[in-house]
Amino acid sequence: MKLRHIEIFHAVYLNRTVSAAARALNVSQPAVTKTLKHAEQLLGFPLFDRRSGRLVPTEDAHTIFAEVAQIQSQVASLRQATRNLRHGTGSLRVSVLPSLALGILPRAVAMFSRRHPEVFFDLQTVHHDGIARVLYEHDADIVVAFEKPVGLPLISEWLGEGELGLLYRREDFTDAPPRIPMKMVQDHRFISLVESGPIGDLLRAELGRTKIELDEAASARTFYIGSALVREGLGMAVLDNFTAQAAVNEDVEFRPLQPALTFDVFAMTLESRPFSHSAMEFLEVFKTCLDAA
């Protein structure tokens, strides 16, 4: 099967009629029918049974589809990569962790844009488990995260440092010291942050070292949900100082932990695509915003 056969088969399998597949691919119905018949002739067995105007996949078609879906996904990634390369001139594609997206990133982009208004920004968030995909698919020129993925051929630039702290309502912790030991949190309801990457690992290591057990009222899969639960009075949460900036108000306070639990912030790109001059200049601005946080 050639790539065109695979594309037609994939569309017909998903849409179940020639007309719907043709609309999905923006081609004529005769073109779909002809290509599908040719694919079946090459394979030597039918892929669909024709029943009441619909195409019902055969058992062989179900088997083939699993492989075809992978190929289609790879083709889609290739197309996205070529689109990104084609529109790369005069633009910066930046992916950051959600923790950096509400405060640091907007400030850095605004500061850089005042100096270089001709540069177009394409911005998105990425989680640690998505960094490799974003880089290999050319979806970003710069990825900013708290940990460098192991095994990737990366160029990295250290940008600064962050710190964990406790987010809490002032009325729930009126005697909070300037730095808060985790043992003081034991007597309060706690919101845990599961699947939170290096930040979660850092906190779990500290809890393991001190043998502290917390009274967990809920778990949240993002720092922003965790901070919202704190505002609603469900409990306290440990998160990074960058996320905390967006959550602190007249009712909610954030203070660092004792001992200090710090982490690094890195900018990354693949070795095969070094940082451009514009990217390096933007990272200097990003560093300035981190230092001021």
Side-chain angles (χ1 to χ4, degrees):
M1 294 177 72
K2 296 181 180 180
L3 188 57
R4 187 57 173 168
H5 297 139
I6 290 172
E7 186 178 39
I8 293 292
F9 166 72
H10 185 266
V12 173
Y13 186 97
L14 292 178
N15 291 280
R16 293 297 197 264
T17 67
V18 169
S19 59
R23 286 194 299 271
L25 297 174
N26 197 27
V27 298
S28 67
Q29 294 185 35
V32 171
T33 300
K34 181 179 179 181
T35 304
L36 184 60
K37 286 182 178 178
H38 189 220
E40 291 177 323
Q41 289 170 357
L42 288 174
L43 292 170
F45 52 81
L47 293 170
F48 298 92
D49 293 327
R50 281 72 177 173
R51 301 178 189 171
S52 302
R54 297 187 65 81
L55 299 176
V56 180
T58 63
E59 287 301 316
D60 291 328
H62 289 310
T63 301
I64 292 174
F65 181 77
E67 301 297 329
V68 164
Q70 282 189 335
I71 295 172
Q72 281 294 97
S73 177
Q74 291 169 345
V75 170
S77 294
L78 175 60
R79 287 173 177 160
Q80 183 61 51
T82 56
R83 282 194 294 269
N84 290 340
L85 288 172
R86 185 166 64 249
H87 297 298
T89 304
S91 67
L92 280 176
R93 297 179 297 275
V94 184
S95 295
V96 303
L97 296 178
S99 301
L100 300 167
L102 285 185
I104 302 298
L105 180 63
R107 284 196 291 274
V109 169
M111 187 182 299
F112 185 87
S113 293
R114 285 192 287 270
R115 303 176 189 174
H116 302 283
E118 75 283 358
V119 175
F120 174 82
F121 278 92
D122 180 1
L123 309 173
Q124 64 175 312
T125 59
V126 63
H127 294 280
H128 279 276
D129 57 5
I131 290 175
R133 179 194 61 78
V134 165
L135 289 172
Y136 279 125
E137 292 182 6
H138 292 207
D139 224 16
D141 305 306
I142 303 168
V143 173
V144 182
F146 301 152
E147 186 178 71
K148 294 179 285 187
V150 177
L152 289 186
L154 295 175
I155 297 172
S156 64
E157 179 83 9
W158 185 82
L159 299 180
E161 189 174 78
E163 185 171 11
L164 295 191
L166 185 72
L167 190 73
Y168 60 94
R169 293 200 309 176
R170 289 184 172 91
E171 64 183 81
D172 296 334
F173 204 175
T174 56
D175 58 344
R179 282 190 169 272
I180 300 176
M182 283 304 298
K183 65 182 180 181
M184 293 188 69
V185 185
Q186 289 184 109
D187 299 329
H188 300 273
R189 301 186 80 195
F190 187 75
I191 300 161
S192 65
L193 295 159
V194 298
E195 297 183 6
S196 49
I199 301 300
D201 295 341
L202 191 60
L203 176 60
R204 281 190 289 273
E206 175 64 12
L207 293 176
R209 183 187 70 81
T210 57
K211 304 294 191 272
I212 291 174
E213 293 186 7
L214 300 174
D215 178 17
E216 294 189 8
S219 65
R221 294 186 180 274
T222 71
F223 287 132
Y224 296 128
I225 294 176
S227 61
L229 292 174
V230 172
R231 288 196 301 270
E232 294 299 323
L234 189 65
M236 304 176 178
V238 170
L239 41 72
D240 64 278
N241 57 307
F242 307 120
T243 302
Q245 289 178 354
V248 170
N249 56 33
E250 65 275 8
D251 299 317
V252 176
E253 181 65 271
F254 176 83
R255 294 193 183 178
L257 299 178
Q258 179 64 42
L261 297 180
T262 61
F263 54 89
D264 294 314
V265 183
F266 296 96
M268 292 165 273
T269 188
L270 291 178
E271 288 180 353
S272 58
R273 296 200 318 280
F275 293 122
S276 66
H277 176 76
S278 293
M280 289 300 297
E281 191 171 348
F282 174 72
L283 291 180
E284 287 302 317
V285 174
F286 203 96
K287 284 181 184 179
T288 301
C289 294
L290 277 178
D291 291 340

